[in-house]
Amino acid sequence: MKIIITKNYRELSKKAAEIVIKELQKRPKMVICFATGSTPLGLYRNLIEAVGEGKISFRDVISFNLDEYYPIKKNSKQSYYYFMFHNFFNKIDIKKQNINFLNGETKNPEKECKRYQKKLKKYKIDLQILGIGVNCHIGFNEPGSSKDSGTRLVKLEECTRKENSRFFKTKKDVPKMALTMGIKDILSAGKILLLASGKKKAKALKKMVEEPPNKDCPASFLKLHKNVIVIADKEAACLLKKQKFYAKRKL
Ligand code: GLP
């Protein structure tokens, strides 16, 4: 796990974009799995800018997304489908037919997860973008998720519903379930880029970095992967034991 600490959120987003841009310039036909949440928004804004400047293109990129609430209508403003199109896909040159999403409208979640899992097997993910939940979840792999978990329907923890209620009118409106790629699916990616910003992520980040892989902190399973880059801003990294060491390293 390579850890990079940045001064602030702006630098975090810039650094993350540099990494994605470099990868994409090397391999324009990449398979990228995207994450939602506020954290990757700065990265997405930088990527949109890079497309506008002609530095990169998503023309040949195949995309997947980590998760989706269940049940939820695609056109609901709170769906991750809406989030991705509104904040990113509509502003870059990705082809709609190359975008893969878990369908939160399905009547048969089990079948939908099987369909997605099959697609994931067909296209190996080159780059996985991740955020982290305050309870250490990645995607919607809540504490208790096993390292062998695949794409499935999960029950959301109350703290996750509370945390995500900022995107809804009230907490009651936050769906109780979600469809998510599993830890095993995430670990099968060639490279993983996890972003963490702000004080409220500090405890989760400390657990992820300093604890051995364990189910109570699903993000800690990322230690089982050989190519993980974590970019955290100073606030998110403030509880790390070795923060001075990480901060001194050249970016
Ligand atoms: C949600 C998503 C996660 C995301 C997390 C953090 O629960 N399912 O994929 O990493 O929120 O979101 P934020 O970046 O808004 O803190």
Side-chain angles (χ1 to χ4, degrees):
M1 204 173 252
K2 183 177 172 197
I3 297 164
I4 298 172
I5 300 179
T6 62
K7 258 205 320 260
N8 52 34
Y9 179 68
R10 210 171 143 254
E11 294 296 313
L12 173 154
S13 305
K14 214 172 109 193
K15 183 67 201 160
E18 272 170 33
I19 293 171
V20 179
I21 290 170
K22 227 194 225 166
E23 292 285 327
L24 198 51
Q25 284 171 338
K26 263 198 288 186
R27 267 184 301 174
K29 287 188 181 165
M30 272 177 89
V31 181
I32 308 183
C33 184
F34 292 103
T36 50
S38 350
T39 314
L41 280 175
L43 159 66
Y44 297 159
R45 278 195 290 269
N46 281 306
L47 293 179
I48 294 166
E49 217 177 281
V51 171
E53 290 165 355
K55 283 188 191 153
I56 47 164
S57 168
F58 285 83
R59 211 180 311 124
D60 297 318
V61 167
I62 307 274
S63 84
F64 283 86
N65 255 79
L66 263 178
D67 48 10
E68 178 60 287
Y69 289 111
Y70 186 76
I72 200 153
K73 293 260 179 262
K74 280 185 190 168
N75 62 8
S76 144
K77 287 204 169 139
Q78 285 79 25
S79 79
Y80 284 170
Y81 184 89
Y82 181 91
F83 177 99
M84 286 307 296
F85 275 85
H86 182 73
N87 291 303
F88 192 44
F89 293 151
N90 287 342
K91 301 178 179 177
I92 55 170
D93 56 350
I94 193 163
K95 292 182 186 138
K96 196 158 182 218
Q97 68 266 29
N98 287 348
I99 297 173
N100 294 287
F101 236 97
L102 279 157
N103 178 9
E105 294 183 3
T106 184
K107 294 257 155 46
N108 189 339
E110 217 170 278
K111 199 169 154 201
E112 171 59 8
C113 291
K114 274 195 189 143
R115 177 196 70 83
Y116 206 68
Q117 189 88 77
K118 218 168 139 191
K119 263 260 159 109
L120 281 170
K121 279 219 173 102
K122 191 170 156 203
Y123 298 97
K124 196 180 145 16
I125 294 169
D126 297 304
L127 177 65
Q128 172 70 60
I129 314 250
L130 288 178
I132 183 169
V134 284
N135 64 352
C136 277
H137 72 211
I138 43 176
F140 270 132
N141 291 284
E142 299 281 43
S145 299
S146 105
K147 71 174 191 335
D148 299 315
S149 53
T151 305
R152 65 204 189 285
L153 178 68
V154 294
K155 190 171 178 286
L156 295 178
E157 281 202 343
E158 282 312 301
C159 73
T160 298
R161 293 185 64 230
K162 190 172 160 219
E163 187 57 39
N164 290 6
S165 64
R166 66 199 142 111
F167 298 108
F168 292 78
K169 270 196 199 125
T170 68
K171 185 188 159 206
K172 266 205 245 148
D173 299 317
V174 185
K176 295 198 164 101
M177 316 274 278
L179 303 169
T180 186
M181 279 166 53
I183 305 281
K184 196 174 173 187
D185 302 320
I186 293 171
L187 292 179
S188 72
K191 190 184 192 102
I192 300 177
L193 181 60
L194 182 140
L195 310 178
S197 168
K199 255 200 187 128
K200 73 174 179 193
K201 298 293 171 69
K203 275 191 191 154
L205 199 73
K206 184 176 173 64
K207 282 181 101 180
M208 177 186 86
V209 174
E210 291 171 10
E211 286 183 7
N214 72 88
K215 279 187 178 180
D216 287 339
C217 174
S220 66
F221 286 126
L222 295 177
K223 288 203 164 124
L224 304 172
H225 194 281
K226 286 197 196 86
N227 197 357
V228 179
I229 301 180
V230 176
I231 311 183
D233 60 16
K234 251 198 213 151
E235 290 195 334
C238 70
L239 297 177
L240 294 184
K241 276 189 202 144
K242 284 168 54 181
Q243 56 181 291
K244 280 193 188 132
F245 164 78
Y246 301 129
K248 262 192 218 147
R249 278 197 313 195
K250 262 185 108 193
L251 297 192

